[in-house]
Amino acid sequence: MTAVASEQKALMDDVYSLHRHFYDLTRKFYLLGRDQLIRSLAPSPGGTVVEVGCGTARNLIVAAKTWPDARFHGFDISEAMLETARKSVARTGLSDRITLAQGDAGNFDTERLFGMEKVDRIFMSYTLSMIPPWQEAIERSAASLAPGGGLHIVDFGQYERLPALVKRLHFKSLNDFHVYPRRELPAVLRRVAEARGLTLQFTPLYRGYAWSAVLGRP
Ligand SMILES: C[S@@+](CC[C@H](N)C(=O)[O-])C[C@H]1O[C@@H](n2cnc3c(N)ncnc32)[C@H](O)[C@@H]1O
């Protein structure tokens, strides 16, 4: 792991050492759009799905129940989060369908992590806003898509159609928690789509509270 990644791992372990115990309960009220993303995955039977920055494995568990014929994999930089994820996956009896690993989104390799050169679906749910090398994470994900594959993203938007004061106050509290909504996300996705010949769907949700996007490999 690079020095930058080690620093991020230490920060995330510190941020989540306590929060991971009530993360799933509290986040359901403001990490909006996660279940829509999971419903949109639609992997084909036997298909492979990877979550980048899987946290407590909440999404992987919902996704594995929603799509019972697919195989799920998730990685996170934080060992603290992964400890909770492993317990949750075991508790729900899904250990044979969900594989977890530790990895850095800025420099990941699905072959090394999970023994798969290409993946049918990759998703990133409220992680890009926390990953310092977020553009590299998008590039790596796009490069790992199998033909017909898709990269599904949901994260904080820019509150385009919400009052400026709400944006200022909420962004301040997000920044205090090392979360930085990525204003440049649409432009970066357009650039990656164009460079790699991918399709792009971009949809603001809840007046710009969240942004959702899918990069598709024909
Ligand atoms: C807000 S949580 C989102 C967790 C989960 N995706 C969800 O929707 O509930 C952000 C996650 O990104 C992880 N993360 C931050 N930087 C990372 C990196 N460089 N590589 C992999 N995961 C990272 C954190 O450890 C944390 O688990």
Side-chain angles (χ1 to χ4, degrees), residues 38 41-49 60-72 94 96-98:
I38 289 167
L41 288 174
S44 45
T48 50
V49 183
L60 288 168
I61 291 168
V62 175
K65 290 179 178 168
T66 307
W67 303 105
D69 297 324
R71 288 177 293 137
F72 291 84
L94 287 164
D96 56 336
R97 298 201 34 236
I98 300 176

Side-chain angles (χ1 to χ4, degrees), residues 21-101:
H21 298 296
F22 42 89
Y23 182 94
D24 288 347
L25 200 63
T26 51
R27 270 39 173 204
K28 74 174 169 197
F29 299 109
Y30 66 93
L31 298 188
L32 306 179
R34 293 187 297 176
D35 290 339
Q36 287 98 310
L37 181 154
I38 289 167
R39 282 195 296 275
S40 77
L41 288 174
S44 45
T48 50
V49 183
V50 169
E51 180 174 10
V52 175
C54 61
T56 59
R58 178 265 180 204
N59 294 332
L60 288 168
I61 291 168
V62 175
K65 290 179 178 168
T66 307
W67 303 105
D69 297 324
R71 288 177 293 137
F72 291 84
H73 308 264
F75 70 91
D76 202 285
I77 203 163
S78 161
E79 260 308 326
M81 279 302 227
L82 285 169
E83 195 181 311
T84 295
R86 284 186 206 106
K87 283 187 189 145
S88 299
V89 169
R91 208 174 32 244
T92 49
L94 287 164
S95 304
D96 56 336
R97 298 201 34 236
I98 300 176
T99 311
L100 299 168

